[in-house]
Amino acid sequence: MPAEFTLGELAVRFGLTLRGEPSLKVHGIATLARAESGALSFLANSRYRRQLESTRATAVITNAEDEAHCPVAALIHPNPYLAYARIAALMHPEPSAAPGIHPSAVVAVAARVAASAGIGPLAVIEEGADIGERVSIGPGCIVQRGARIGADSVLVSRVNLYPGVSVGQRCILHAGAVVGADGFGFAPNAGTWVKVPQVGSVRIGDDVEVGANTTIDRGAIDDTVVEDGVKLDNQIQVAHNVFIGAHTAIAACTGISGSTVIGQRCMIGGMVGFAGHLTIADDVVVTGCSLVSASIKKAGSYSSGMPTVETRLWRRMVAHLRRLDG
């Protein structure tokens, strides 16, 4: 069950302005439309103001502009979504894994596992692996030889860390993530292909989150690098020798070709494709379904995806394009 807090406690803890009775208690999170008494909700987008005006929540997190439309108690913050994230984490804390090694896990004698770490059922920890304090290794995970995991990190389930991979502190790797598989490197030889050894590794910084079934390839020579605070969604492909700068966020199904450098604080939409050997500046936004085929040297927002139109209109547009060189 989520913990219960008074509005006064939340306002003091998170530096919020309270309009309403400080002794009112909330014990859960709900949407504006579905909230009942005892629930805390939030308004981060003014398009949902109509739902705010009819909400049955005990209190709503909102900004100063929308607060005037709030019929219940309000916790006021310039960034309601940020305040909501912090309060929700307080009310719904992640359960701590119990320390110890499950009887079905296989842990090499030469592996180092901190006494406070938890190793789940059917996990495999190979020789030379280093598992830090309070790390949680979920069911079916494989930590191959020489891989290292920093304190308070979580491998949810079926995560596979290849040899020599380094994961920082407070990271979360969701189910099915694979870190350190061989990059796609092959040399042509008279119509055939010769595999190029991938001798680099992967270095992941602190406070990184890697989504389910996302893959991060090891470097061909130097390491693939994911800096501190990067957030990767599900089913992303990060190729060999890619560098992702600190606090960049990348949405699902994006593919990043080899040796591309993405700057800090970038926001990449879903299904974006990056050609190889590009450099993307800091603070770049790329909207969903874009194809990035050249380097981006200045901060800003960039797009190339074609918005959806009615099929008949789309066919006419394609026909016009085909006649441009006629």
Side-chain angles (χ1 to χ4, degrees):
M1 292 290 293
E4 185 176 73
F5 296 91
T6 68
L7 299 185
E9 289 173 327
L10 295 176
V12 170
R13 183 186 288 255
F14 296 104
L16 309 175
T17 300
L18 172 62
R19 191 212 68 195
E21 175 54 54
S23 63
L24 287 173
K25 294 181 179 181
V26 289
H27 53 75
I29 300 292
T31 62
L32 290 167
R34 295 184 178 273
E36 299 290 343
S37 178
L40 178 68
S41 191
F42 72 98
L43 177 68
N45 188 326
S46 294
R47 289 184 296 179
Y48 295 95
R49 189 180 286 168
R50 181 173 296 179
Q51 294 182 14
L52 171 68
E53 294 170 349
S54 61
T55 190
R56 299 171 66 183
T58 291
V60 176
I61 308 166
T62 183
N63 60 28
E65 180 181 354
D66 290 321
E67 179 267 332
H69 301 270
C70 183
V72 297
L75 291 165
I76 304 165
H77 190 272
N79 187 340
Y81 194 48
L82 175 62
Y84 158 73
R86 289 171 172 163
I87 293 174
L90 174 69
M91 298 180 71
H92 297 268
E94 292 291 334
S96 299
I101 300 173
H102 192 274
S104 66
V106 179
V107 180
V109 174
R112 178 195 172 277
V113 179
S116 59
I119 310 298
L122 303 177
V124 176
I125 312 297
E126 294 187 351
E127 62 184 57
D130 189 337
I131 311 300
E133 298 289 343
R134 299 171 300 281
V135 166
S136 175
I137 306 293
C141 291
I142 301 174
V143 181
Q144 298 189 37
R145 64 185 185 277
R148 301 179 300 281
I149 305 173
D152 300 298
S153 287
V154 176
L155 276 58
V156 174
S157 62
R158 296 182 294 102
V159 175
N160 195 333
L161 302 186
Y162 275 60
V165 165
S166 174
V167 175
Q169 301 181 72
R170 300 175 301 279
C171 295
I172 303 173
L173 280 68
H174 288 280
V178 177
V179 182
D182 280 358
F184 194 64
F186 299 91
N189 177 37
T192 64
W193 299 99
V194 177
K195 184 175 178 63
V196 177
Q198 305 291 290
V199 299
S201 189
V202 178
R203 289 185 284 123
I204 294 178
D206 297 336
D207 302 299
V208 170
E209 186 155 350
V210 178
N213 294 322
T214 282
T215 54
I216 305 173
D217 290 347
R218 68 193 307 107
I221 299 176
D222 296 328
D223 294 342
T224 300
V225 176
V226 179
E227 288 197 322
D228 294 350
V230 167
K231 310 302 180 187
L232 302 178
D233 199 358
N234 302 331
Q235 297 180 326
I236 291 171
Q237 160 64 8
V238 180
H240 56 188
N241 297 108
V242 165
F243 182 100
I244 302 177
H247 307 293
T248 282
I250 303 178
C253 297
T254 287
I256 308 171
S257 298
S259 299
T260 286
V261 175
I262 297 178
Q264 299 183 3
R265 301 174 302 278
C266 293
M267 292 188 289
I268 312 300
M271 296 182 67
V272 171
F274 288 88
H277 302 271
L278 305 183
T279 298
I280 309 300
D282 296 341
D283 302 299
V284 164
V285 176
V286 181
T287 61
C289 296
S290 294
L291 172 60
V292 184
S293 58
S295 292
I296 298 175
K297 300 180 180 179
K298 296 194 314 182
S301 182
Y302 297 81
S303 303
S304 72
M306 180 70 75
T308 301
V309 296
E310 184 185 5
T311 301
R312 288 171 53 189
L313 176 58
W314 169 250
R315 288 171 177 165
R316 290 173 58 192
M317 291 167 62
V318 172
H320 283 300
L321 287 172
R322 287 177 173 172
R323 288 197 293 269
L324 289 178
D325 291 332

